[in-house]
Amino acid sequence: MKLDTMLVLGYLGIIAVLFIGLTHGSPQEIWSPEALAVAVGGAVVATVAGLSLQELKESLQALRVAFTIISYDYERLIGDFVSYAGISRKDGLLGLEKVISQIDDPFLSRAVQMAIDGVEPDLVEERLAVELASMDERHARTRATYDTMATYSPAFGMIGTIMGLVFVLKSLNDPTQIGPRMGVALLSTFYGVAACYAVFTPISKKLDRKHRHEVLYRQMIVKGIIWLQTGDSPRSIEAKLRSFLREERG
Amino acid sequence: MKLDTMLVLGYLGIIAVLFIGLTHGSPQEIWSPEALAVAVGGAVVATVAGLSLQELKESLQALRVAFTIISYDYERLIGDFVSYAGISRKDGLLGLEKVISQIDDPFLSRAVQMAIDGVEPDLVEERLAVELASMDERHARTRATYDTMATYSPAFGMIGTIMGLVFVLKSLNDPTQIGPRMGVALLSTFYGVAACYAVFTPISKKLDRKHRHEVLYRQMIVKGIIWLQTGDSPRSIEAKLRSFLREERG
Amino acid sequence: MKLDTMLVLGYLGIIAVLFIGLTHGSPQEIWSPEALAVAVGGAVVATVAGLSLQELKESLQALRVAFTIISYDYERLIGDFVSYAGISRKDGLLGLEKVISQIDDPFLSRAVQMAIDGVEPDLVEERLAVELASMDERHARTRATYDTMATYSPAFGMIGTIMGLVFVLKSLNDPTQIGPRMGVALLSTFYGVAACYAVFTPISKKLDRKHRHEVLYRQMIVKGIIWLQTGDSPRSIEAKLRSFLREERG
Amino acid sequence: MKLDTMLVLGYLGIIAVLFIGLTHGSPQEIWSPEALAVAVGGAVVATVAGLSLQELKESLQALRVAFTIISYDYERLIGDFVSYAGISRKDGLLGLEKVISQIDDPFLSRAVQMAIDGVEPDLVEERLAVELASMDERHARTRATYDTMATYSPAFGMIGTIMGLVFVLKSLNDPTQIGPRMGVALLSTFYGVAACYAVFTPISKKLDRKHRHEVLYRQMIVKGIIWLQTGDSPRSIEAKLRSFLREERG
Amino acid sequence: MKLDTMLVLGYLGIIAVLFIGLTHGSPQEIWSPEALAVAVGGAVVATVAGLSLQELKESLQALRVAFTIISYDYERLIGDFVSYAGISRKDGLLGLEKVISQIDDPFLSRAVQMAIDGVEPDLVEERLAVELASMDERHARTRATYDTMATYSPAFGMIGTIMGLVFVLKSLNDPTQIGPRMGVALLSTFYGVAACYAVFTPISKKLDRKHRHEVLYRQMIVKGIIWLQTGDSPRSIEAKLRSFLREERG
C-alpha cells in the first residue's frame, strides 16, 4: 500500500500552477460553494444515477487503486516460472503441489492449481481468458465512471453559468452589480472545467495505465502456464516470457 | 418490478443541486415553457422523426427497463446448471423434461428444450448466438434513441437561443428590455444542456449497464448448455461458470 | 411507395416547435435568403464537390428511400422458405424452377436460381456475401453524403456569421444599425445549425435504420438458401430463421 | 488527365455562395493577407512539420489525383478476364504471354505475370494482398495530411484572432478603432474555418472516394486472377466478378 | 543522430507565421509568464500526474526520436536477406553464424539467431509477433502522452482565462483597466491553443509516422526470416519483400 507519488505530486503541482494564475486576484475571489455544488456535485450525482450500488462500490475501490502503487514484478514472475519448469521436469506437474502454498497472486495460484489437476491446456487457456475478459470489462466499467464525471463536469458548470447569467440579465437595475455577478456565474464553468481536466481525467488515465500493466502480467501467466503444461524447458520458457518484456524497457 | 432507486435518487439529487444554483435567483426566473418546447420538444420530435412506429414503442419500453431493477441471479443460475448436470448424468438429457416447466427465463427454457430435443451443440450455439446478436442490435437501437435525444437537445437549445438573440438585436429600441430578453433567449440553451446531461444521457448509460448484465447472464447460459450437452460433470460446470463471475465482485 | 409518415410528421413537428420559439418575434425577422444561401447552399455545394456524378445520383435516390416505407415482410419470407423446403424435399432443388418466376425480390431470386443451378453452398454464400458487402458500401456512401452536409451546415453558417460580424464591426458609424445587423449576421448560424439537426441528421439516421432492416432481411435469405441446399427440414428452417426475429419484437 | 469537373465546379460554387454573403459588405473588407498567413499558412506549415520530405511529395501528388478523373472501367476489366479465361482454357495459362504486353495497368500486369510463371494461387493472393495493404497505408497517409490541415486551420485561425483581440483590448485609447480592429482580428478565424470546410475537407473526402474505387478495382483483379488459376470457366468468372458491381449501380 | 530538418524547419515556420500575426502589436504584448505557467505548465503537470516514473522517462526519450531522423534502409535489408538466402542455400542456416556478428539491428540479429538455433518457423513468428505487439503498445503509450498534453493545453488555457475574467469582472471600478486585463486573461487561452496545435500535436504526428516506418521494417524482417527458414530462393525472397515497398514510393 505505497502512495502513487506521481499522482499525488501531480495534483500538488496543478494546485501550485493554479496559484500562479492568482497573481491578479485572491483565492477568495474564486471561491464559491454554490458554483462548486452545481458543477462538481451535479456531475457526480448524475454519474452515480447511472450506476448500481455494486458499481458505485467498485468505483470507490478503483480510487484506491489509482492512488497506490501496485508493482508487477515481471522479473520475479519469470524466475518463478523457470523454477516451476525445473520442478515439473523432475517430479512432473504434480511436483508443483509443494510450491502452490507460497504463491500470493490468486490468479497465478488458480492457474498452477489447474495445471496440477491435469486440466487440459486448451481448457486452462479458455478459463483464464474468461477471467481476463471479465477483468477487462470491470476495469472498463470503473474507468468509464470517471470518464463520465469528466464529461459531465464542464456541462454542469455550463448549466450553472447559464443560470447565473440569466439571473444577471433579468435584473440589470443595479449596473455596478452586473460585473461581479457575471464573475460569480462564470465560476461554475471554472470549477467544471478544472474538475474535468485537473481531477477526473488524470484518475481515468492512471487507471488505464495500471490496467495495461495488470493485463500484461496476467497474459504472461496464461502463456507461462500453457508452456509449462506442454513441457517446455526452463530456458525456453524464460526466453519466450522475456519477449513480452524486451520492449517494455524502451 | 422494483424501482431503480439509484436512478430515481440520482434525478432527485440533480434537482437538489440545481436548486443550490438558485441562490441568486428564483425558480420562476428560469421557467419558460416556450424555451422548453423548442429545446426539449424539438429534440424529441427530431429524434422520433428518424424512428419507425415499432422502434418508438421499443424506446418507450426501454424507459421501463431503465427505471426498474431486473436482477440477474448468477448464483442461482449456476446452482440450476449444477442440478441439471446431476439430472442429465443420472437420467440423460431427456431427464431435463421434468424441470423445464419450472424455468421462468424464456431464453434458458429454449436452450434447455434444444438440449432435450437432441439438437447438436454447434447448432445450439449458433442459434443462441443469433438471438444474442439480435438482442444486441435491439438494445443498441433503443440506446441510440436516447443518445440522439442527448445530442439534439443542446442543438435545439442553441437554435432557440439564436432565434431569441436575433429578435433582441433587431429591436434594440427599448434598452431596458435588452437584458431580460437576452436572459430569456439563453433559457433554451439552458434547457437543452440540462436535458442532455441531466436527463437523456443518464438513461442511455443506465440502459448500457443493464445491457451488459443481461449479456453476461445469457452468455453463461449459452456456455452452460453446451457443457451440459458435452457431458461435463456438475463440479466442472460450476467451476467454469464461476470463472465468469470471479472478477464481477471486484 | 407509401410515404414514411413518421419522418414527414417529424418534420412538421419540428416546424411547429420552431413556431413556438417565434412567440417573441415574427417569421419575417428570421427570414434571410442570403444567410440561407451561405449556410445551406454552401454546405450542399461543398458536399457535392466531393462526389462523382454517379454518387450524386445515388444520394438523390436515397432521399426517396428515406421518405418512403419499404416494409420487409419477414414472416412471409419465412413462409416462403418453408414452402421451398417442402418442394425441394419432394422434387429436389430443381423443383424450385416452378416458383422462381413468382419471386419479386431480385436478391432472393438470384439466390434461389443459384440453388437450382447446383452452385455449391460455399460459393453461394461467398457470392451473396460480396453483394451484401457492396450494398453496405453503397449505403454507407450515401449516408456519408448526408452526414457531410450535416457537418458542413453549421460550419458554413459560422462562416456567414463571421463575415457579417466583420462588416458590422468595420462600420460602427451608425450605432442604431449595429444591433439589427448583428442579428442578420447570426441568422446564417441559425440556418446552419437548424439544417444540421432538423434536416440532414434525421435523414441520415432514417437511412441507417432502413439499412439495418434490409441487412437483416438479406442475411435471412443468405442463411435460408444455404440451409435449403444442405437439405434441412421445413420445420428446422423455420425454427432457425425465427431466431433472427425473436428479439426483433422486443 | 481529365479535370474532375465536380470538384472544380464545387469550388466555384463555394466562391459564388460566399459572394452572396457579401451583400452587406465588399470583398476588400474581408481581405487580410496577415490573417490568411496566420490561419492557412500556420496550418500548412504545422502539418508539413509532421511529414518527411517523401511524404510531402506524396501529398502534393495526391492533389493531382484529387483534381483529375481516373475512371476505373470495371466492365472492360470483366471483359478482359473473360477473354483471359478463354485463352487459358485453350492454351493453358502460358497462353496469356501473348496478351501481357497489351495490359496497361501495372498491378494487373504483375498479377497475370505471376499466373504465367506458375506461382501458386495462395502465394499470388498473399503477395497482392501485401501490395493492397501497402497502397491502403499510403492513401491513408496522404488523406491524413489533408485532414490534419483541416483540423489545424480553424485552430490557427483562433490563435490569430486571440492575438488580435489581445492587441485591441490592450490599447482601448481610441474607441473608434475598437470595432474595425476586432473585425480584422475575426478575419483569421474566418479564413481558418473557410479553409477547413471549403478547401481541405473536400479534398480529403474526394481522395477517400477515389481510394474506394481503386480498392474495388484491385480486389476484382485479385479475385479474378485466382479464379483464372483455379481454372474457372469464362462464364463463371464473369458471373462472380459481376457480383462485385451489382450494387455499385444502385 | 541527424536532426529531423522538417520538424525543426516546421517549428521555425510556425514562429515566423505567428510573427506575421504581430503586425498590429508587439511581442511584449503577448508575453505573460503567468499565463504560460497556467496553460502549458498545467497541461504538462496534469499529464505527468497520470504517468509512472518509467513512462515519464520513455516519453522524454520519445522526444529524441521525434527530433532525429532514423532512416530505415529497406533496400539494404532486402539485399541482406538475398545474401542470407544465398548463404543458407550453400551452407545451411548454420552458415549464417558468420554474418550474425555484422548485424547492427538487435531485432534482426535475434531473428537470425533463432533461425540458426533451429527454432521452428511458427515459434519464431510467434515470438517476434509478441515483441512487435509490445513495441506497438509502448509507442502508443508515449504518443498518448503527447496527445494528452495537446488535449490538456487548451483546457488549462481556458481555466486560466476564466480565472482572469472573474477577477476583471469582480473589480470593474477602474474602467480603463478592464480592456488590458481582459487581454491578459485571454493570453492563457492563446498559449494553450498554440501549445496544442503548434507544439504537442506535431510531435505526436511525427512519432506516429516514424512508428509506421519501424513497423514496416520489422514486418519485413519477420516475413524474411520465415521465408529464409522455409528455404525460399534468393530471387523469390527479393520479389516478395519488394511487394512491401512497391506502393511506398507512390
Side-chain angles (χ1 to χ4, degrees), chain A residues 83-102:
Chain A
S83 88
Y84 300 163
I87 292 168
S88 99
R89 279 241 149 157
K90 231 178 42 210
D91 311 325
L93 284 164
L94 285 173
L96 293 171
E97 293 259 18
K98 299 179 284 202
V99 297
I100 203 161
S101 61
Q102 298 152 31

Side-chain angles (χ1 to χ4, degrees), chain D residues 165-188:
Chain D
L165 282 180
V166 172
F167 296 149
V168 175
L169 290 164
K170 286 207 164 175
S171 51
L172 291 170
N173 25 35
D174 178 1
T176 65
Q177 278 307 300
I178 297 176
R181 285 189 55 197
M182 282 184 94
V184 170
L186 272 179
L187 279 181
S188 80

Side-chain angles (χ1 to χ4, degrees), chain C residues 118-139:
Chain C
V119 180
E120 273 182 58
D122 277 7
L123 198 53
V124 171
E125 190 159 21
E126 195 195 328
R127 256 198 243 178
L128 296 177
V130 165
E131 282 200 34
L132 268 183
S134 130
M135 182 185 84
D136 227 80
E137 172 84 19
R138 183 166 62 93
H139 285 182

